[in-house]
């Protein structure tokens, strides 16, 4: 992982909110829930008119809009935004069901940052948002969790995996191990005990910073392929948690 997983980061993400403009309630809910699962605040509106009304009150970090909208379409919405100096610099992603080969070029010419065709995979949406709104985009998707863990079999019941990716994890513990040290860590995932060899990349001690949980970020050095596949499945399922069934 190589990057801190802590409360401060989540708080910073919450300060960044994303507006989703989509007249399809199911699609709007799906996008909204995926973004919220990533830790972002989300506002949804149904039309370009509602979007402009909201933009006159608050400025989001990103607008994700359908091309096909009641009233004005996505291109008209972008044009209206560019005329307003307050929101002219807000990046726009078009995420659409429009079946028109020329749609992508038209939207890019109108100023959108990215053009995505529905249905959009959760990981693709994550990377799109990361690339636009985060100063340091993450290479690997990671999701919050809360799984009991044990380091070297000495868990006291107060060690937990609180963030996980396919590259590593953050272990919340009152006794972080030394930087660069390697340890066997076990945790329960989907009713199966996972054993990994992991190296400590960074640590936070108790009281170091009030906004950060004591613990350590660890990189997987050795994990069984079947266990890694289970981690990957867990992450993929986390993308769509709370979204409507297809």
């Amino acid at each position: 992982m190589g990057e801190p997983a802590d409360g401060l980061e989540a708080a910073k993400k919450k300060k960044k909110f994303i507006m989703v403009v989509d007249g399809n309630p199911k699609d709007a809910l799906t996008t909204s829930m995926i973004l919220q699962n990533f830790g972002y605040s989300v506002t949804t509106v149904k039309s370009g008119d509602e979007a402009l009304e909201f933009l006159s009150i608050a400025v989001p970090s990103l607008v994700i809009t359908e091309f096909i909208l009641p009233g004005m379409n996505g291109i008209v919405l972008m044009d209206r935004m560019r005329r307003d100096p307050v929101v002219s610099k807000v990046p726009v992603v078009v995420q659409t069901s429009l079946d028109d080969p020329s749609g992508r070029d038209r939207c890019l010419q109108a100023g959108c940052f990215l053009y995505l065709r529905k249905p959009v995979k959760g990981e693709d949406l994550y990377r799109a948002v990361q690339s636009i709104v985060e100063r340091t985009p993450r290479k690997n998707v990671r999701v919050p969790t809360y799984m009991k863990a044990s380091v070297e079999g000495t868990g006291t019941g107060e060690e937990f995996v609180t963030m996980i990716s396919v590259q590593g994890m953050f272990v919340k513990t009152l006794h972080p191990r030394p930087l660069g040290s390697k340890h066997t860590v076990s945790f329960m995932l989907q009713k199966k005990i996972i054993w990994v060899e992991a190296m400590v990349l960074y640590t936070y001690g108790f009281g170091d910073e009030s906004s950060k949980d004591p613990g350590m970020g660890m990189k997987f050095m050795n994990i069984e392929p079947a266990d890694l596949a289970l981690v990957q499945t867990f992450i993929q399922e986390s993308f769509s948690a709370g979204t409507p069934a297809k």
Side-chain angles (χ1 to χ4, degrees):
M1 271 191 330
E3 296 162 283
D6 51 65
L8 179 59
E9 178 186 328
K12 287 181 178 178
K13 273 191 176 181
K14 284 299 182 182
K15 294 178 182 178
K16 298 177 181 178
F17 76 92
I18 299 170
M19 183 170 71
V20 175
V21 190
D22 201 322
N24 183 312
K26 184 176 180 180
D27 287 353
L29 178 59
T30 297
T31 300
S32 175
M33 291 304 302
I34 290 174
L35 293 171
Q36 288 182 55
N37 290 341
F38 294 153
Y40 294 101
S41 295
V42 183
T43 294
T44 61
V45 296
K46 300 177 182 178
S47 68
D49 287 326
E50 289 186 13
L52 292 173
E53 182 178 356
F54 185 87
L55 288 169
S56 69
I57 301 171
V59 180
S61 299
L62 173 67
V63 171
I64 298 178
T65 183
E66 227 318 341
F67 177 92
I68 305 168
L69 296 171
M72 71 181 77
N73 62 30
I75 287 181
V76 177
L77 171 60
M78 284 188 282
D79 181 62
R80 293 281 296 275
M81 288 177 60
R82 298 301 171 246
R83 296 181 187 181
D84 183 340
V86 177
V87 297
S88 62
K89 300 300 183 182
V90 175
V92 177
V93 169
V94 173
Q95 178 183 249
T96 183
S97 57
L98 177 67
D99 186 14
D100 181 354
S102 68
R104 180 178 181 277
D105 290 339
R106 292 162 61 195
C107 288
L108 291 175
Q109 290 172 4
C112 79
F113 274 59
L114 288 172
Y115 181 87
L116 305 173
R117 282 291 308 277
K118 293 178 180 177
V120 179
K121 294 181 180 179
E123 184 170 354
D124 292 338
L125 182 60
Y126 172 89
R127 296 191 188 284
V129 172
Q130 282 273 308
S131 68
I132 294 171
V133 306
E134 298 298 341
R135 181 175 299 178
T136 307
R138 298 187 181 283
K139 295 180 180 180
N140 299 292
V141 179
R142 65 183 195 173
V143 297
T145 184
Y146 206 75
M147 300 180 288
K148 287 186 177 181
S150 176
V151 181
E152 302 291 4
T154 59
T156 62
E158 296 181 353
E159 294 181 328
F160 300 88
V161 174
T162 58
M163 194 71 67
I164 193 165
S165 78
V166 295
Q167 295 292 322
M169 59 192 171
F170 185 83
V171 178
K172 180 179 178 180
T173 175
L174 295 177
H175 306 288
R177 278 52 167 189
L179 292 177
S181 60
K182 299 178 182 179
H183 304 274
T184 299
V185 182
S186 62
F187 56 90
M188 183 74 73
L189 177 61
Q190 307 287 36
K191 298 181 180 181
K192 180 183 179 182
I193 298 178
I194 306 294
W195 296 85
V196 301
E197 296 292 331
M199 181 174 68
V200 179
L201 297 181
Y202 61 87
T203 65
Y204 297 129
F206 184 77
D208 284 354
E209 294 187 40
S210 60
S211 61
K212 297 179 179 180
D213 287 332
M216 51 194 176
M218 307 186 75
K219 178 182 179 181
F220 294 149
M221 304 301 292
N222 186 25
I223 180 172
E224 291 294 326
D227 292 341
L228 180 59
L230 195 61
V231 171
Q232 291 173 318
T233 299
F234 174 77
I235 292 172
Q236 290 296 324
E237 291 177 347
S238 296
F239 290 154
S240 57
T243 62
K246 296 182 179 179

